[in-house]
Amino acid sequence: MSDIVFIEDLRIETVIGIYDWERKIRQVVALDLEMAFDNRKPAASDRIEDTLDYKAVSKRLIAFVEAAHFELVETLAERCAEIVLGEFNVPWLRLRLAKPGAVRGSKSVGVVIERGIKPTA
């Protein structure tokens, strides 16, 4: 099984950063997720109940990130990965968390993490 369900450029406002001024404002972070999921069952049944519901994943992450107050993008990325792995029965994910405009001259900075065990084909 090597199916992937993805969410691209999920933009969420949060409090993130190490500087005092960053702790007083909300900034946008952008999430990209690739999540391993066997899509054969939902493809056969055509039922949302059998899928990895990307809307539910997105809503859960939006609620969490909007309420979060972390200093490091690494910490926020790790907590988001824990939510997806633990609450949505995902065996593996790759998560990219970007902080647009954080460094002058760059489009974005951030981290990419992989967690869980990636299924083989």
Side-chain angles (χ1 to χ4, degrees):
M1 189 264 309
S2 60
D3 300 340
I4 299 288
V5 174
F6 71 91
I7 300 168
E8 185 176 351
D9 201 27
L10 181 63
R11 293 181 171 257
I12 310 167
E13 287 190 359
T14 191
V15 175
I16 187 86
I18 60 171
Y19 300 109
D20 289 339
W21 66 268
E22 290 181 296
R23 311 299 303 152
K24 297 175 185 167
I25 64 168
R26 298 184 70 75
Q27 298 180 71
V28 172
V29 294
L31 293 171
D32 293 329
L33 290 100
E34 293 180 19
M35 301 165 285
F37 190 80
D38 188 344
N39 286 314
R40 289 175 290 193
K41 183 176 180 182
S45 72
D46 201 28
R47 295 169 25 103
I48 188 71
E49 297 82 12
D50 294 333
T51 67
L52 171 56
D53 185 346
Y54 47 77
K55 183 175 182 179
V57 173
S58 297
K59 287 177 74 171
R60 176 65 174 100
L61 290 175
I62 289 167
F64 175 74
V65 173
E66 284 181 340
H69 290 82
F70 293 110
E71 292 188 3
L72 301 177
V73 294
E74 292 86 349
T75 307
L76 181 56
E78 191 68 36
R79 297 303 173 271
C80 289
E82 290 169 359
I83 288 169
V84 175
L85 292 169
E87 296 181 18
F88 294 93
N89 198 28
V90 170
W92 171 88
L93 68 76
R94 176 182 294 123
L95 184 147
R96 179 180 184 269
L97 192 149
K99 192 174 169 186
V103 173
R104 187 174 20 176
S106 75
K107 180 179 176 183
S108 193
V109 298
V111 297
V112 176
I113 64 173
E114 290 187 31
R115 296 294 179 266
I117 299 170
K118 188 171 186 177
T120 58

